[in-house]
Structure formats: structure tokens, C-alpha cells
Amino acid sequence: MLGRVSSLVTILIFAQTGILNSHHEAAHWSCDSNTDTHVQAHFNPGRITLDGQVDDWKDIDGSAFSVLPALDPDADKAYNGGKMTVKASHDGKDVFFMLQVDGDYTYSEGYSNKTASVAFMFQIGENASYHRMGGCEEEPDTCMSKSCKGHEVDLMHFSIGTAIPGRLYGGNLLDNSEGNGGDRFGHLVDLYCWNPHCRYLDGYGPSVNDTGAQNDWTGTWWHSSLTHSGFIKDDSPYSSSNQSGAYYFEFSRPLRTMDRLQQDAQFTIGKASKISGAFWYPMDGKPWHGSGHFSISCDWILLDILPDSSELTKVPQRSSWDAATAFSLLFSSGFLYIHLCWA
């Protein structure tokens, strides 16, 4: 019975975020990836505040990507609004991300597929491919942690249809107390999958339901056309439609989480992780569907979690107890000894 309830909850949340649709790729899917592109997260303690205002990111370098249809990565079909810039940083405990993508402002309260939406995907299992979101060949009725072992992928998806700009969403006391990766307030959800048809909120799944799971993400959004902060729900839609500008999304989560079931990627300072980013947008005013997203690459991109550069370049300071001091003391001791002997 518990399994049925968990599956039902997962289906309902996927339906709300619009990512339950089937993935049907182009007949001849091919990938010309740029494997040399990296996103670098430098050590910047006390630098980033998640508030939608991105001035604190201005001196942090990012990587700009053309965003192509995920199921048919043809350059001729790229998102015509512009590129997506991805920036990252960390403070030794948490990792921070900022996504910037140009797009005319559009917002429909309660309709996530009529507003912009973003997601991150991270490799967990060693055999997890970017293509087909982990690449496990099992069907929805046979995919399990054992049958798809090694194909685990970590997901974060943010649909802003109920999220107030500048406010924080993601992990919250109510959903985390129920042991899942949901977010009933802003639909910034923490998920995992083995392929496009086997996706679950953290804590739910066909194999086990873990009441100790939680949503480890926190995030917010903004658009450059918004003129002031301190919005509340009654201010919706927050700005006039079709104003040109850019969307900004900020996120954070711990480098390491309490996950015990291969549902979260784990980041290590000094090592690289494999990631990808996605963007949904109501092109020509038409609501987007789950598989109709754009992606920053048709393969994994490397995320480098870099150590504190000051520790790497620090020159050892000479001790005040140097050779001259030692020689002076030795000479003084010898002089005292000779003086005593002659006395």
C-alpha cells in the first residue's frame, strides 16, 4: 500500500512540474559534443547570497553554451533567445550555481509550462550516460536499484509557476519531515533517475522508500525586467509580459549530502564531476512539454570543484628563528663560557 501511495505522489508531482512526458528522440540522434568545456567552481567563502540579485557573481567567470533541443541537438534548431551562461562557486561546505539565459518575460501563476524552467543533471553511477538520462535499458516496470545499478543520475528541477521571484524554494521542513525530495511551495524538486521513464523524488522508488531522504537544494529566480524586491504572491505576475531581458536562477546545495541510496551526486574539492543543464521556455507563447527542453550540451560537461588557490600558492614564511639569530645566540654563549673560564 505504501508503495502505491509513494508512486502516486511521485506521479502527481511530476505532472505538476511537467516532466512526466515520454522522450521520443529524432530518428537519427547524433552528438557533436565539446568535451573540452569545463565549469569551474572556485573557492569563494562568504561571496554568494541567494536572492536573485546577481551582482555578487559579476567577478566570477562563467561558461556560455548554445542551448540545443535535447532530443535533436541540431545547431539549426538552437534556442533563438541566446546562450545560457553557467557559473559555479563553493565555500568549502556548499556549492553554488547561477544560470543566466536571455528571454522575454512571461509568467502565468500556477501554470509551470507557460513560464521558464530549468534543471541540472549530475552523474552518480559510473555507467550513467548523459544520453537517455542514465541509459539503463530497463522498462518502467522492471527498473530498480539492482537492475539499473551503476546508471544512477541526480536531478534538480525548478518550475517557477508558483514561485515568487527573489524568494527561496527547495528543501523545507514540511517535505523533508516526510522524507522526500519534494517542494510543495515552489516545485524546486530533488530527484534521481535511471532513464527518462524511471524518475522519482528522492526517498521514493520501486525498490525502497527511504523516510530519511530530503531535498538538499535551495534556489530562487529573477528576471531583469523586475523593478524592485520584496515581492509577495499578490504582486503576481510581478512584471509586464514580453519585456526583453534575462532570467537568472541561483541554487545551492551541500558538497556532500546524507544520501545512502545513490540518489545524490557527491562533490569533492579537487575533483571533477559530470553535469548538464536544461532550459524550458514557452516558445511563441506555446506551453512547453517535458521532453521539449533545450540542453547546454549533448554530453556531460565537467564541473571542477577547485581548492583554495591561496593554499596552493602560499609561500612558507621564514621563521623569526633564523640562522642569524641562532649564530648570534651561539656566539654569545661561547663568549660567556670563555669569560667564565678566564675569571
XYZ file of all heavy atoms in Angstrom, residues 48-133:
665
model
N 28.491 34.606 -2.024
C 27.219 34.489 -2.731
C 26.040 34.519 -1.761
O 26.034 33.824 -0.746
C 27.166 33.190 -3.562
C 28.354 33.124 -4.532
C 25.841 33.085 -4.302
C 28.416 34.277 -5.518
N 25.044 35.331 -2.100
C 23.761 35.341 -1.403
C 22.676 34.945 -2.393
O 22.584 35.515 -3.484
C 23.443 36.741 -0.847
O 24.462 37.143 0.062
C 22.093 36.742 -0.126
N 21.852 33.973 -2.041
C 20.766 33.537 -2.925
C 19.580 34.482 -2.749
O 18.784 34.349 -1.820
C 20.345 32.100 -2.604
C 21.385 30.998 -2.775
C 20.734 29.634 -2.562
C 22.041 31.058 -4.129
N 19.474 35.448 -3.659
C 18.379 36.408 -3.578
C 17.868 36.821 -4.959
O 17.010 37.692 -5.075
C 18.817 37.651 -2.795
C 20.062 38.316 -3.385
O 20.550 37.850 -4.439
O 20.554 39.294 -2.780
N 18.425 36.213 -6.025
C 18.033 36.579 -7.374
C 18.821 37.746 -7.931
O 18.862 37.954 -9.142
N 19.449 38.538 -7.059
C 20.286 39.652 -7.498
C 21.701 39.120 -7.741
O 22.317 38.599 -6.823
C 20.316 40.750 -6.437
C 18.942 41.131 -5.906
C 18.032 41.683 -6.994
O 18.433 42.518 -7.788
N 16.799 41.215 -7.019
N 22.203 39.263 -8.943
C 23.413 38.531 -9.310
C 24.660 39.409 -9.379
O 25.662 39.028 -9.970
C 23.217 37.791 -10.660
C 22.149 36.721 -10.519
C 22.850 38.765 -11.773
N 24.645 40.572 -8.743
C 25.840 41.413 -8.728
C 27.020 40.718 -8.056
O 28.173 40.980 -8.396
C 25.554 42.732 -7.994
C 24.650 43.659 -8.796
O 24.505 43.426 -10.015
O 24.083 44.597 -8.206
N 26.733 39.839 -7.109
C 27.820 39.145 -6.417
C 28.482 38.087 -7.294
O 29.486 37.496 -6.898
C 27.330 38.514 -5.105
C 25.997 37.803 -5.234
O 25.468 37.734 -6.358
O 25.482 37.314 -4.214
N 27.961 37.853 -8.484
C 28.558 36.903 -9.427
C 29.405 37.596 -10.497
O 30.025 36.923 -11.321
C 27.470 36.096 -10.129
C 26.768 35.098 -9.278
C 25.619 35.281 -8.559
C 27.157 33.734 -9.049
N 25.264 34.121 -7.909
C 26.191 33.145 -8.193
C 28.229 32.948 -9.495
C 26.262 31.828 -7.766
C 28.299 31.629 -9.081
C 27.329 31.080 -8.221
N 29.415 38.923 -10.534
C 29.974 39.627 -11.686
C 31.464 39.371 -11.891
O 31.959 39.427 -13.020
C 29.705 41.126 -11.578
C 30.389 41.818 -10.410
C 30.011 43.291 -10.387
C 30.696 44.007 -9.218
N 30.336 45.458 -9.177
N 32.213 39.104 -10.828
C 33.650 38.852 -10.965
C 33.983 37.371 -11.035
O 35.158 36.988 -10.983
C 34.409 39.499 -9.799
C 34.308 41.019 -9.820
O 34.277 41.576 -10.933
O 34.245 41.630 -8.736
N 32.969 36.539 -11.118
C 33.171 35.090 -11.230
C 32.979 34.689 -12.686
O 31.952 34.989 -13.292
C 32.190 34.328 -10.316
C 32.478 34.657 -8.847
C 32.280 32.824 -10.551
C 31.513 34.017 -7.867
N 33.981 34.043 -13.246
C 33.912 33.634 -14.650
C 32.894 32.517 -14.836
O 32.735 31.646 -13.977
C 35.287 33.161 -15.134
C 36.307 34.294 -15.196
O 35.886 35.444 -15.383
O 37.517 34.016 -15.047
N 32.228 32.548 -15.968
C 31.274 31.507 -16.305
C 31.560 30.923 -17.670
O 32.480 31.356 -18.374
N 30.791 29.943 -18.045
C 30.891 29.307 -19.362
C 29.571 29.515 -20.094
O 28.501 29.281 -19.525
C 31.189 27.813 -19.229
O 32.420 27.592 -18.568
N 29.657 29.984 -21.340
C 28.460 30.248 -22.146
C 28.233 29.097 -23.119
O 29.167 28.630 -23.781
C 28.604 31.566 -22.899
N 26.983 28.649 -23.209
C 26.646 27.499 -24.040
C 25.483 27.859 -24.970
O 24.524 28.518 -24.549
C 26.214 26.306 -23.183
C 27.244 25.831 -22.207
C 27.279 26.339 -20.914
C 28.181 24.878 -22.576
C 28.227 25.898 -20.005
C 29.131 24.435 -21.673
C 29.151 24.945 -20.382
N 25.571 27.408 -26.205
C 24.397 27.402 -27.064
C 23.471 26.306 -26.561
O 23.921 25.199 -26.239
C 24.787 27.135 -28.521
O 25.609 28.166 -29.023
N 22.190 26.604 -26.449
C 21.257 25.599 -25.931
C 20.485 24.989 -27.099
O 19.793 25.685 -27.841
C 20.313 26.199 -24.865
C 21.008 26.266 -23.529
C 19.836 27.589 -25.253
N 20.636 23.687 -27.229
C 20.074 22.939 -28.349
C 18.968 22.010 -27.873
O 18.958 21.589 -26.707
C 21.170 22.115 -29.037
C 22.441 22.859 -29.458
C 23.440 21.884 -30.072
C 22.107 23.972 -30.439
N 18.025 21.650 -28.739
C 16.994 20.693 -28.341
C 17.627 19.400 -27.835
O 18.489 18.819 -28.497
C 16.209 20.462 -29.633
C 16.442 21.698 -30.436
C 17.840 22.130 -30.122
N 17.218 18.963 -26.667
C 17.853 17.801 -26.047
C 17.682 16.526 -26.868
O 18.573 15.681 -26.906
C 17.298 17.589 -24.641
N 16.546 16.380 -27.527
C 16.279 15.148 -28.267
C 16.706 15.229 -29.722
O 16.689 14.225 -30.426
C 14.790 14.804 -28.184
C 14.218 14.650 -26.769
C 12.788 14.151 -26.825
C 15.084 13.721 -25.928
N 17.085 16.402 -30.172
C 17.544 16.584 -31.547
C 18.545 17.748 -31.562
O 18.226 18.853 -31.996
C 16.356 16.883 -32.474
C 16.776 16.948 -33.949
O 17.915 16.548 -34.262
O 15.962 17.400 -34.769
N 19.770 17.504 -31.060
C 20.745 18.588 -30.867
C 21.335 19.122 -32.171
O 22.528 18.977 -32.460
C 21.811 17.928 -29.996
C 21.740 16.483 -30.328
C 20.294 16.192 -30.609
N 20.475 19.742 -32.947
C 20.867 20.318 -34.225
C 21.065 21.818 -34.023
O 20.180 22.518 -33.508
C 19.768 20.060 -35.255
C 20.158 20.496 -36.666
O 21.046 21.363 -36.799
O 19.568 19.979 -37.630
N 22.228 22.339 -34.449
C 22.535 23.754 -34.261
C 21.514 24.656 -34.939
O 21.274 25.789 -34.491
C 23.937 24.055 -34.786
N 20.899 24.178 -36.001
C 19.900 24.980 -36.705
C 18.605 25.134 -35.903
O 17.758 25.961 -36.240
C 19.575 24.356 -38.062
C 20.757 24.409 -39.021
O 21.615 25.310 -38.842
O 20.821 23.571 -39.941
N 18.460 24.316 -34.856
C 17.251 24.355 -34.037
C 17.525 24.909 -32.638
O 16.731 24.719 -31.718
C 16.642 22.964 -33.933
C 16.265 22.365 -35.288
C 15.744 20.942 -35.141
C 15.416 20.342 -36.509
N 14.944 18.940 -36.395
N 18.646 25.601 -32.488
C 19.028 26.145 -31.187
C 18.003 27.152 -30.685
O 17.284 27.784 -31.471
C 20.400 26.795 -31.279
N 17.938 27.298 -29.380
C 17.082 28.305 -28.750
C 17.466 29.672 -29.299
O 18.635 30.084 -29.241
C 17.265 28.250 -27.239
C 16.635 29.386 -26.480
C 15.255 29.553 -26.465
C 17.426 30.289 -25.767
C 14.670 30.601 -25.759
C 16.848 31.332 -25.060
C 15.482 31.486 -25.059
O 14.908 32.529 -24.363
N 16.494 30.389 -29.831
C 16.799 31.640 -30.535
C 16.901 32.850 -29.609
O 17.152 33.963 -30.072
C 15.767 31.906 -31.637
C 14.348 31.992 -31.106
O 14.132 32.181 -29.915
N 13.363 31.848 -31.994
N 16.722 32.627 -28.310
C 16.827 33.744 -27.380
C 18.247 34.105 -27.020
O 18.520 35.214 -26.552
N 19.181 33.185 -27.222
C 20.564 33.432 -26.867
C 21.179 32.245 -26.157
O 20.595 31.158 -26.105
N 22.351 32.449 -25.588
C 23.062 31.372 -24.909
C 22.715 31.323 -23.421
O 22.137 32.259 -22.872
C 24.573 31.560 -25.083
C 25.045 31.406 -26.524
C 26.569 31.459 -26.610
C 27.029 31.211 -28.041
N 28.505 31.187 -28.166
N 23.075 30.191 -22.816
C 22.953 30.057 -21.369
C 24.348 30.156 -20.761
O 25.265 29.464 -21.187
C 22.312 28.723 -20.963
C 22.259 28.522 -19.437
S 21.665 26.875 -18.948
C 19.909 27.072 -19.258
N 24.489 31.025 -19.778
C 25.741 31.139 -19.038
C 25.603 30.399 -17.721
O 24.620 30.594 -16.986
C 26.095 32.608 -18.778
O 26.282 33.277 -20.032
C 27.377 32.724 -17.970
N 26.580 29.542 -17.424
C 26.586 28.766 -16.188
C 27.792 29.188 -15.364
O 28.930 29.180 -15.854
C 26.650 27.253 -16.471
C 26.622 26.464 -15.160
C 25.504 26.823 -17.375
N 27.552 29.580 -14.122
C 28.630 29.928 -13.201
C 28.512 29.056 -11.948
O 27.410 28.631 -11.584
C 28.571 31.404 -12.812
C 28.821 32.366 -13.960
C 28.896 33.815 -13.467
C 29.219 34.766 -14.608
N 29.393 36.164 -14.127
N 29.645 28.806 -11.312
C 29.647 27.986 -10.100
C 30.679 28.525 -9.120
O 31.651 29.190 -9.510
C 29.944 26.521 -10.437
N 30.464 28.240 -7.858
C 31.368 28.673 -6.797
C 31.154 27.736 -5.616
O 30.162 26.993 -5.575
C 31.072 30.127 -6.409
O 31.940 30.583 -5.388
N 32.051 27.752 -4.655
C 31.831 26.978 -3.431
C 32.549 27.658 -2.267
O 33.461 28.474 -2.460
C 32.310 25.519 -3.597
C 33.798 25.332 -3.509
N 34.451 25.035 -2.329
C 34.774 25.410 -4.458
C 35.745 24.916 -2.553
N 35.975 25.141 -3.835
N 32.117 27.330 -1.050
C 32.721 27.914 0.142
C 33.346 26.863 1.048
O 33.612 27.125 2.219
C 31.691 28.733 0.918
C 30.517 27.895 1.441
O 30.529 26.656 1.257
O 29.581 28.489 2.024
N 33.583 25.669 0.495
C 34.141 24.580 1.283
C 33.094 23.693 1.910
O 33.393 22.565 2.317
N 31.864 24.157 1.984
C 30.756 23.379 2.533
C 29.646 23.204 1.510
O 29.152 22.103 1.302
C 30.203 24.062 3.783
C 29.011 23.346 4.384
C 28.420 24.121 5.550
C 27.170 23.446 6.090
N 26.542 24.240 7.183
N 29.232 24.307 0.875
C 28.162 24.291 -0.118
C 28.702 24.680 -1.483
O 29.683 25.426 -1.593
C 27.049 25.273 0.263
C 26.338 24.885 1.543
O 26.184 23.679 1.810
O 25.935 25.804 2.300
N 28.030 24.190 -2.524
C 28.339 24.596 -3.888
C 27.186 25.464 -4.385
O 26.020 25.220 -4.057
C 28.566 23.375 -4.808
C 27.338 22.478 -4.871
C 29.001 23.810 -6.210
N 27.525 26.515 -5.142
C 26.548 27.485 -5.625
C 26.565 27.503 -7.153
O 27.626 27.381 -7.773
C 26.875 28.894 -5.110
C 26.919 29.001 -3.611
C 28.075 28.690 -2.907
C 25.805 29.417 -2.902
C 28.120 28.790 -1.527
C 25.836 29.526 -1.517
C 27.001 29.209 -0.826
N 25.394 27.702 -7.745
C 25.267 27.780 -9.198
C 24.432 28.997 -9.568
O 23.499 29.377 -8.853
C 24.585 26.541 -9.770
C 25.331 25.260 -9.557
C 25.032 24.438 -8.479
C 26.329 24.860 -10.441
C 25.711 23.253 -8.277
C 27.016 23.682 -10.250
C 26.709 22.872 -9.171
N 24.770 29.599 -10.709
C 23.955 30.663 -11.282
C 23.787 30.388 -12.765
O 24.758 30.159 -13.483
C 24.606 32.031 -11.071
C 23.666 33.214 -11.368
S 23.523 33.653 -13.125
C 25.094 34.462 -13.411
N 22.541 30.375 -13.209
C 22.216 30.214 -14.621
C 21.619 31.517 -15.130
O 20.725 32.087 -14.498
C 21.207 29.085 -14.833
C 21.579 27.691 -14.338
C 20.456 26.712 -14.629
C 22.857 27.219 -14.964
N 22.116 31.975 -16.253
C 21.578 33.169 -16.899
C 21.223 32.829 -18.335
O 22.038 32.271 -19.073
C 22.603 34.305 -16.885
C 22.158 35.546 -17.645
C 23.226 36.632 -17.675
O 24.087 36.695 -16.800
N 23.161 37.497 -18.681
N 19.997 33.158 -18.723
C 19.577 32.887 -20.096
C 18.630 34.001 -20.540
O 17.727 34.407 -19.798
C 18.911 31.496 -20.221
C 17.707 31.359 -19.307
C 18.546 31.195 -21.662
N 18.890 34.532 -21.725
C 18.046 35.604 -22.254
C 16.657 35.069 -22.598
O 16.514 33.930 -23.059
C 18.676 36.214 -23.499
C 19.940 37.000 -23.190
O 20.117 37.385 -22.018
O 20.749 37.224 -24.109
N 15.655 35.904 -22.379
C 14.292 35.519 -22.740
C 13.308 36.600 -22.340
O 13.453 37.219 -21.274
N 12.323 36.851 -23.187
C 11.270 37.815 -22.846
C 10.503 37.319 -21.629
O 10.268 36.114 -21.459
C 10.307 37.999 -24.019
C 10.967 38.697 -25.203
O 12.082 39.246 -25.032
O 10.374 38.676 -26.301
N 10.100 38.261 -20.792
C 9.429 37.888 -19.557
C 8.041 37.312 -19.836
O 7.240 37.886 -20.584
C 9.284 39.095 -18.627
C 8.694 38.731 -17.290
C 9.454 38.080 -16.327
C 7.363 39.017 -16.984
C 8.917 37.730 -15.102
C 6.814 38.681 -15.759
C 7.598 38.028 -14.824
O 7.063 37.673 -13.606
N 7.784 36.176 -19.234
C 6.460 35.569 -19.297
C 6.216 34.838 -17.987
O 7.104 34.150 -17.469
C 6.330 34.601 -20.493
O 5.041 33.973 -20.448
C 7.405 33.536 -20.481
N 5.040 35.008 -17.412
C 4.711 34.358 -16.152
C 3.209 34.161 -16.070
O 2.433 35.108 -16.254
C 5.187 35.195 -14.961
C 5.051 34.475 -13.642
C 6.064 33.640 -13.183
C 3.903 34.611 -12.867
C 5.946 32.965 -11.981
C 3.770 33.942 -11.657
C 4.792 33.121 -11.226
O 4.664 32.440 -10.036
N 2.802 32.925 -15.791
C 1.393 32.589 -15.613
C 1.245 31.850 -14.297
O 1.685 30.703 -14.159
C 0.886 31.713 -16.775
O 0.941 32.410 -18.001
N 0.673 32.508 -13.320
C 0.540 31.944 -11.989
C -0.143 30.574 -12.036
O -1.239 30.417 -12.562
C -0.283 32.893 -11.108
C -0.602 32.362 -9.726
C 0.621 32.322 -8.828
O 1.518 33.176 -8.997
O 0.675 31.432 -7.954
N 0.561 29.562 -11.496
C 0.009 28.219 -11.418
C 0.195 27.377 -12.659
O -0.160 26.195 -12.657
N 0.763 27.944 -13.719
C 0.969 27.206 -14.970
C 2.473 27.143 -15.262
O 3.025 28.009 -15.936
C 0.221 27.868 -16.132
C -1.276 27.829 -15.985
C -1.950 28.888 -15.387
C -2.008 26.725 -16.424
C -3.326 28.857 -15.244
C -3.383 26.689 -16.280
C -4.031 27.756 -15.688
O -5.406 27.711 -15.537
N 3.102 26.098 -14.754
C 4.555 25.998 -14.888
C 5.000 25.912 -16.333
O 6.068 26.420 -16.693
C 5.072 24.779 -14.108
O 4.910 24.967 -12.715
N 4.195 25.280 -17.196
C 4.609 25.104 -18.584
C 4.366 26.342 -19.443
O 4.584 26.312 -20.653
C 3.942 23.881 -19.204
C 2.429 23.979 -19.217
O 1.843 24.927 -18.686
N 1.786 22.988 -19.814
N 3.936 27.438 -18.802
C 3.822 28.707 -19.513
C 4.857 29.720 -19.019
O 4.772 30.901 -19.328
C 2.416 29.283 -19.345
C 1.323 28.457 -20.019
C -0.040 29.116 -19.852
C -1.136 28.297 -20.529
N -2.477 28.944 -20.379
N 5.803 29.225 -18.238
C 6.875 30.062 -17.719
C 8.208 29.345 -17.956
O 8.253 28.174 -18.336
C 6.705 30.310 -16.211
O 6.790 29.047 -15.518
C 5.359 30.933 -15.904
N 9.294 30.059 -17.726
C 10.612 29.446 -17.875
C 10.851 28.422 -16.772
O 10.277 28.504 -15.685
C 11.693 30.523 -17.828
N 11.706 27.451 -17.070
C 12.020 26.389 -16.118
C 13.422 25.877 -16.403
O 13.874 25.900 -17.553
C 10.996 25.248 -16.246
O 11.278 24.205 -15.342
N 14.120 25.434 -15.361
C 15.494 24.946 -15.543
C 15.709 23.667 -14.747
O 14.940 23.344 -13.829
C 16.543 25.996 -15.108
C 16.524 27.209 -16.015
C 16.345 26.402 -13.653
N 16.767 22.957 -15.105
C 17.125 21.735 -14.396
C 18.628 21.513 -14.487
O 19.292 21.981 -15.421
C 16.384 20.525 -14.979
N 19.156 20.805 -13.504
C 20.522 20.285 -13.533
C 20.465 18.765 -13.495
O 19.570 18.179 -12.860
C 21.327 20.771 -12.322
C 22.066 22.057 -12.532
C 21.867 23.118 -11.664
C 22.976 22.205 -13.571
C 22.550 24.307 -11.837
C 23.660 23.380 -13.764
C 23.453 24.444 -12.889
N 21.418 18.143 -14.146
C 21.561 16.691 -14.099
C 23.020 16.375 -13.797
O 23.926 16.985 -14.360
C 21.136 16.063 -15.431
C 21.221 14.540 -15.439
S 20.379 13.790 -16.879
C 21.502 14.242 -18.218
N 23.253 15.415 -12.880
C 24.594 15.050 -12.453
C 24.769 13.532 -12.532
O 23.863 12.778 -12.163
C 24.855 15.479 -11.005
C 24.602 16.945 -10.739
C 23.338 17.377 -10.362
C 25.618 17.870 -10.857
C 23.094 18.717 -10.111
C 25.385 19.218 -10.610
C 24.124 19.642 -10.230
N 25.924 13.109 -12.982
C 26.211 11.680 -12.990
C 26.473 11.193 -11.569
O 27.212 11.822 -10.811
C 27.439 11.381 -13.856
C 27.746 9.898 -13.978
C 29.096 9.626 -14.628
O 30.120 10.120 -14.173
N 29.092 8.859 -15.704
N 25.857 10.075 -11.209
C 26.153 9.396 -9.946
C 26.885 8.086 -10.235
O 28.027 7.896 -9.840
C 24.874 9.110 -9.133
C 24.102 10.396 -8.827
C 25.231 8.403 -7.826
C 22.780 10.171 -8.099
N 26.192 7.155 -10.918
C 26.792 5.864 -11.243
C 27.847 5.975 -12.331
O 27.748 6.808 -13.236
N 28.855 5.133 -12.269
C 29.958 5.186 -13.237
C 29.491 4.923 -14.664
O 30.114 5.388 -15.621
C 31.036 4.168 -12.845
C 31.763 4.517 -11.554
C 32.870 3.537 -11.241
O 33.055 2.579 -12.037
O 33.547 3.708 -10.212
N 28.407 4.160 -14.815
C 27.913 3.828 -16.160
C 26.783 4.744 -16.614
O 26.204 4.518 -17.688
C 27.429 2.371 -16.190
C 28.539 1.389 -15.847
O 29.680 1.566 -16.243
N 28.191 0.353 -15.090
N 26.472 5.749 -15.826
C 25.351 6.639 -16.160
C 25.745 7.559 -17.308
O 26.664 8.365 -17.188
C 24.946 7.453 -14.940
N 25.042 7.449 -18.410
C 25.317 8.269 -19.589
C 24.441 9.512 -19.577
O 23.364 9.541 -18.972
C 25.053 7.469 -20.865
O 23.698 7.048 -20.919
N 24.914 10.554 -20.266
C 24.053 11.722 -20.474
C 22.857 11.317 -21.335
O 21.728 11.661 -21.025
C 24.849 12.841 -21.154
C 23.940 13.896 -21.743
C 23.480 14.959 -20.969
C 23.507 13.824 -23.078
C 22.617 15.904 -21.502
C 22.654 14.769 -23.610
C 22.211 15.807 -22.814
O 21.360 16.745 -23.348
N 23.158 10.602 -22.390
C 22.110 10.181 -23.317
C 21.140 9.244 -22.605
O 21.527 8.293 -21.950
C 22.742 9.473 -24.519
C 21.770 9.141 -25.602
N 21.833 7.968 -26.312
C 20.697 9.823 -26.080
C 20.858 7.932 -27.197
N 20.157 9.045 -27.074
N 19.885 9.561 -22.679
C 18.810 8.803 -22.041
C 18.930 8.824 -20.517
O 18.543 7.889 -19.834
C 18.723 7.367 -22.562
C 18.427 7.273 -24.045
C 18.002 5.874 -24.464
N 16.668 5.541 -23.952
C 16.447 4.635 -23.026
N 17.430 3.971 -22.474
N 15.207 4.389 -22.609
N 19.486 9.912 -19.985
C 19.424 10.213 -18.547
C 19.807 9.028 -17.669
O 19.059 8.616 -16.787
C 18.015 10.710 -18.208
C 17.608 11.952 -18.958
S 15.864 12.405 -18.717
C 15.860 12.815 -16.983
